[in-house]
């Protein structure tokens, strides 16, 4: 599956030929450098390792510096492997946003925004106990009963409760590529993608 590493720039909207306003996300996709070529004979599988976003050599460890020097490039902040990559590439090759064409559909993977410890209303969409009955006057956002009694004398796994929300690996499938801007390495996709501004994302097609 071919793809690139990118950075989420932010959201905007554009008008289509019918005058409809379409929300979209702008991604800085590439340029990415081939930092390693995995082969069946050596590694047991075939893949292409791409690096994105230069890292200062003084901030990289010796392993990262040596790995980058084999490809003749500077150390990279983000390195990702893509299996079943279309096309033949060798160490040090550069891939740009021109890998994508307008109108095709891509999958975008990123880390969702972390929202900390949240209650059941925000995390799971509960309505809360409310003030409707049984003298409830101060339990507006409580989860209510969690189902345990003398039998089974425990709480079942998977019960929706308060807890850490966000900061998960999320993939959004089938986002349409609305525009490709090669001179600025920009990719405009329809809809939203996970992550905060300047967060790394992986675009696969």
């Amino acid at each position: 599956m071919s793809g690139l590493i990118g950075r989420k720039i932010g959201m905007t909207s554009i008008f289509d030929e019918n005058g409809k306003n379409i929300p979209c996300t702008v991604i800085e996709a590439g340029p990415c450098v081939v930092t390693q070529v995995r082969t069946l004979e050596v590694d047991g599988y075939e893949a292409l390792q791409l690096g994105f976003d230069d890292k200062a050599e003084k901030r990289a460890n010796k392993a990262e510096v040596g790995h980058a020097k084999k490809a003749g490039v500077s150390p990279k902040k983000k390195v990702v492997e893509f299996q079943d990559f279309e096309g033949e590439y060798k160490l040090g090759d550069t891939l740009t946003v021109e890998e994508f064409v307008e109108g095709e559909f891509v999958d975008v993977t990123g880390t969702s925004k972390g929202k900390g410890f949240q209650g059941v209303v925000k995390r799971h969409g509960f309505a809360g106990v409310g003030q409707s009955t049984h003298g409830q006057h101060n339990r507006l956002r409580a989860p209510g009963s969690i189902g345990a009694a003398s039998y089974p004398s425990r709480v079942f796994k998977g019960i929706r409760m308060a807890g850490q929300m966000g900061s998960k690996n999320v993939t959004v499938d089938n986002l349409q590529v609305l525009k490709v801007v090669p001179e600025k390495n920009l990719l405009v996709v329809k809809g939203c993608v996970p992550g905060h501004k300047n967060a790394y994302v992986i675009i696969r097609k």
Side-chain angles (χ1 to χ4, degrees):
M1 187 180 290
S2 300
L4 282 181
I5 312 168
R7 179 190 287 109
K8 178 178 175 179
I9 301 299
M11 290 197 70
T12 184
S13 62
I14 59 176
F15 291 93
D16 64 7
E17 61 275 6
N18 298 320
K20 185 178 179 181
N21 194 338
I22 303 174
C24 54
T25 305
V26 181
I27 301 172
E28 180 189 351
C32 296
V33 180
V34 179
T35 53
Q36 190 170 359
V37 180
R38 302 280 192 182
T39 60
L40 202 61
E41 298 76 24
V42 177
D43 304 289
Y45 66 100
E46 293 183 346
L48 210 60
Q49 187 188 86
L50 301 182
F52 173 71
D53 203 4
D54 290 338
K55 178 194 284 190
E57 195 164 313
K58 67 179 180 179
R59 299 205 176 273
N61 58 39
K62 288 184 178 180
E64 291 172 335
V65 173
H67 186 70
K69 280 185 177 177
K70 286 183 181 178
V73 297
S74 60
K76 302 297 178 183
K77 290 183 180 179
K78 184 73 173 176
V79 177
V80 177
E81 279 190 4
F82 295 84
Q83 294 192 23
D84 303 321
F85 208 95
E86 297 174 3
E88 293 292 328
Y89 297 94
K90 60 182 185 299
L91 213 57
D93 283 355
T94 301
L95 284 75
T96 66
V97 73
E98 294 180 63
E99 292 285 318
F100 302 100
V101 295
E102 294 180 8
E104 72 177 341
F105 292 86
V106 296
D107 301 339
V108 181
T109 302
T111 303
S112 61
K113 289 181 180 179
K115 299 183 183 298
F117 193 98
Q118 299 297 332
V120 292
V121 172
K122 185 178 181 72
R123 192 181 188 209
H124 298 296
F126 282 23
V129 174
Q131 298 178 349
S132 57
T133 184
H134 296 300
Q136 302 292 336
H137 66 282
N138 61 352
R139 304 197 23 97
L140 299 180
R141 300 174 69 87
S145 171
I146 55 175
S150 58
Y151 179 82
S153 300
R154 64 188 176 90
V155 177
F156 288 113
K157 285 184 178 180
I159 293 293
R160 293 177 297 168
M161 301 177 76
Q164 293 291 331
M165 182 179 176
S167 196
K168 301 287 185 184
N169 205 42
V170 178
T171 300
V172 182
D173 295 334
N174 295 326
L175 296 177
Q176 187 177 13
V177 176
L178 299 178
K179 193 173 290 188
V180 178
V181 188
E183 57 271 16
K184 293 186 178 180
N185 298 311
L186 295 181
L187 191 69
V188 181
V189 297
K190 184 177 181 179
C192 57
V193 304
H196 56 81
K197 289 180 181 178
N198 294 320
Y200 292 119
V201 294
I202 301 166
I203 311 115
R204 293 185 174 91
K205 64 176 182 177

